[in-house]
Structures are given as structure tokens and as C-alpha cells.
Amino acid sequence: MAFESLTTKLQETFKKLRGKGRLNEKDVKEAMREVRLALLEADVNYKVVKELVSKVSERAVGAEVMESLTPGQHVIKIVNEELVSLMGSGQSSIVFSKTPPTKIMLVGLQGAGKTTMAGKLGQLLKKQGKRPLLAACDIYRPAAIKQLQVVAEKLELPVFSMGDKNSPVDIAKASISYAESNNNDVVIIDTAGRLHVDEELMQELVDVKEAIKPDEILLVVDSMTGQDAVNVAETFNSKLDITGVILTKLDGDTRGGAALSVRYVTGKPIKFAGIGEKLTDIEVFYPDRMASRVLG
Ligand code: GDP
């Protein structure tokens, strides 16, 4: 991908300004054209770009350029700070229930990486001293249950399954009872996905939510799907009022602009990132790393 980094571009734009004390409106306007382009090129949603550019402009016009920085670097610094603040500063982790088991529902489209993530998250929580149970509620996708069992076996985690003849609501409820009597303090529920958002799927997820009252509903989003991810996130959030987002496939060559937009449109924190196919390829999400990635 021929992508000239924003830093280089802005350096160019501001070459003639080197040494000038304050950024004036005209200079900033010129720089913002580059910022806008770079963000769009990194697949940031246009609404988000608009808001970011306006925030950055507001802060940049009239700003005294820090001595250690060139005007270009100064603008980049502001863009970076605004990106980080947009994605939520700091990192947010799982909110555990005071009365175990903590119920975590993983939702998302088919292929987003839910089943893999159920394993990864289970493994991460196990390392933190928890005793997670994985629950197989995807009764539609051929081999989904088997896949979860294979993942769990590799990680030496227990799986709760009732085959594919019971409803997801019944399986979810039974998995909670099972966890209670087997001393599992976290239940990670792997739900069904579809290729596209549809009413039936949403209703099923809403039913599971009402039945078990999860502590976390985490939307698993494939970061390679670009702007589609933004629409998917908007729909899932409006129906389910999710508590957070997990981005998968960040090991791919996406710039991550869509990811950032998902945070913006849902207002929900991005909690974890999937960074590969291996079951250890999971990280807590760091907004500052993502900002650097978006800026290139
Ligand atoms: P589900 O349909 O949402 O349960 O998705 P799966 O967990 O079956 O994952 C779909 C595909 O994406 C599988 O081939 C996974 O190995 C792959 N996958 C999942 N997470 C990641 C990731 O973080 N990076 C990469 N490269 N592949 C992933």
C-alpha cells in the first residue's frame, strides 16, 4: 500500500513555516486538508473525520508551537491526542460481577472471530486466576460446537454444550446453573452469528440477554471489514446495548480507522484485540497504539 505517512505530508506542508511562532488559521486549514485525507485513507468514517478535524483545528489555530517541535509535529501531536481521547484514554477491562459467575456474552457476525475469542478470553482470564466455563450457544453453524470444544481442549478449559437441539436461551440458562454448581466464576457464551445482520438473529440475542442478564455483552468485530464494521456495530449496539467491543484480526494490514469509528458510533470501549490465529494472540486494547497505527 503506497501510503505516505501523515507526518511526512505535514512536514512538507509546514516546511515554509519552520520557525514561525504561532499557527494561523490559513496554515491550519491547509494542514487539515492533509489530515482529512490521511484519516479517510486510513478508513476512518467520514463523520468521525469531520468531528476530529474540527476539534484539531480549534486547538491548533493560534497555538504556540512548542519549542522542541516543528509546526507539523505540533499538529500531529494534537491529532494524536484527539484520536486517543476519541478511543477512550486508558484501557478498560472486564467488569466482574460481585455475585459470580460473571456472565460474558460474545456477539457478532459469522466469521468475526467469536469462537476463537471465547478461547482466547478464557485463556486470559484463567491466567488471571479465574475459572472460566465456555458455553456453546451457536446451534446453527455446522461444527461451531465442535470448534469450541477443540479450542477449549487445547486450553484445558471446560465447555458446556447441549448439542444443537435446544434453544440458545435454554443452553445459556443451563450453562449458568452448571457454572454455579461447578465453581466456575466466569461463563463465556459463544453465540451464533450470521453473514449479515438479520432480525431473527437479533431477536435471539435479545432473548438470551433477557434470560441471563449478562454482565458484559462484547461485540466481536473483524477489523478488516472496514466501514461495514461501523454499520454492524451501530445495529448491534442499538438492539443489545453492548458493553464493549473486541477487535479481531488486527494482525492484518488494516490501518484501523474503522476500529476507531466503531468506538465513536457506539460510545462503548474497545476492550481487547485479537492479533493472530493462535489462542494466545490476544491483547488488552491500547488507544495510543491504535492512534499511532492510524496515523501511519
Ligand atoms: P466466528 O464465526 O465469529 O466464531 O469466527 P471464528 O472464531 O470461527 O473465526 C473465523 C476465522 O478467523 C478463523 O479462521 C480464525 O482462525 C480467524 N481469526 C479469528 N481471530 C483472528 C485474529 O485475531 N487474527 C487472524 N489472523 N485470524 C483470526
Side-chain angles (χ1 to χ4, degrees):
M1 187 166 28
F3 184 89
E4 203 185 337
S5 86
L6 180 59
T7 318
T8 322
K9 278 188 188 167
L10 283 184
Q11 228 75 283
E12 198 58 35
T13 315
F14 279 110
K15 212 174 238 165
K16 39 191 184 305
L17 298 176
R18 207 173 284 269
K20 208 153 98 180
R22 275 178 201 283
L23 301 172
N24 69 34
E25 207 170 333
K26 186 174 158 285
D27 303 333
V28 170
K29 211 169 164 191
E30 205 168 315
M32 284 310 112
R33 199 171 318 151
E34 297 296 344
V35 171
R36 186 178 294 119
L37 273 176
L39 292 174
L40 287 171
E41 212 170 317
D43 217 8
V44 179
N45 182 272
Y46 72 96
K47 280 189 262 179
V48 185
V49 173
K50 212 169 146 203
E51 165 136 1
L52 261 172
V53 164
S54 116
K55 276 196 182 155
V56 173
S57 305
E58 221 169 86
R59 283 183 58 190
V61 173
E64 182 103 41
V65 176
M66 286 168 69
E67 253 182 50
S68 54
L69 303 177
T70 66
Q73 284 167 335
H74 191 88
V75 171
I76 295 274
K77 185 170 171 289
I78 301 176
V79 174
N80 191 62
E81 284 167 7
E82 289 299 330
L83 282 175
V84 171
S85 118
L86 194 128
M87 282 184 283
S89 40
Q91 29 159 302
S92 30
S93 47
I94 297 286
V95 176
F96 293 104
S97 168
K98 286 192 193 73
T99 48
T102 297
K103 295 161 268 182
I104 305 173
M105 212 175 140
L106 297 184
V107 299
L109 291 186
Q110 189 172 315
K114 282 181 302 303
T115 305
T116 311
M117 189 45 74
K120 288 179 178 180
L121 195 55
Q123 177 262 152
L124 190 85
L125 295 176
K126 187 178 165 187
K127 266 203 266 174
Q128 293 172 5
K130 300 283 177 194
R131 293 176 304 277
L133 170 72
L134 309 185
C137 285
D138 181 353
I139 57 168
Y140 309 103
R141 185 162 63 92
I145 298 174
K146 182 78 197 148
Q147 188 189 344
L148 190 68
Q149 283 165 338
V150 170
V151 162
E153 197 173 321
K154 279 190 201 152
L155 298 168
E156 296 179 23
L157 288 172
V159 184
F160 181 85
S161 155
M162 288 166 65
D164 57 4
K165 300 290 182 284
N166 290 274
S167 77
V169 168
D170 288 340
I171 302 172
K173 283 205 290 204
S175 74
I176 308 299
S177 309
Y178 179 92
E180 281 163 355
S181 43
N182 286 275
N183 202 23
N184 294 114
D185 51 8
V186 180
V187 183
I188 300 173
I189 297 162
D190 184 25
T191 64
R194 300 271 200 284
L195 288 176
H196 305 283
V197 172
D198 70 43
E199 274 303 314
E200 208 185 329
L201 166 71
M202 284 302 160
Q203 192 52 52
E204 177 182 306
L205 296 174
V206 169
D207 291 345
V208 173
K209 175 184 175 179
E210 314 249 285
I212 63 161
K213 310 254 180 314
D215 302 285
E216 294 270 10
I217 302 180
L218 301 176
L219 173 66
V220 179
V221 178
D222 179 343
S223 59
M224 302 290 287
T225 54
Q227 290 309 308
D228 249 8
V230 178
N231 302 330
V232 167
E234 241 170 352
T235 313
F236 272 82
N237 190 43
S238 73
K239 301 274 183 194
L240 288 164
D241 192 18
I242 61 172
T243 60
V245 176
I246 298 181
L247 292 174
T248 60
K249 311 187 192 180
L250 272 181
D251 48 312
D253 63 1
T254 168
R255 299 290 307 272
L260 178 150
S261 311
V262 164
R263 170 72 168 93
Y264 177 84
V265 298
T266 61
K268 304 295 165 65
I270 301 173
K271 299 203 170 192
F272 299 97
I275 49 164
E277 290 194 78
K278 288 201 304 294
L279 292 170
T280 45
D281 291 335
I282 177 173
E283 281 182 355
V284 286
F285 181 78
Y286 296 101
D288 48 345
R289 285 194 205 160
M290 198 66 195
S292 315
R293 179 169 178 153
V294 170
L295 288 178

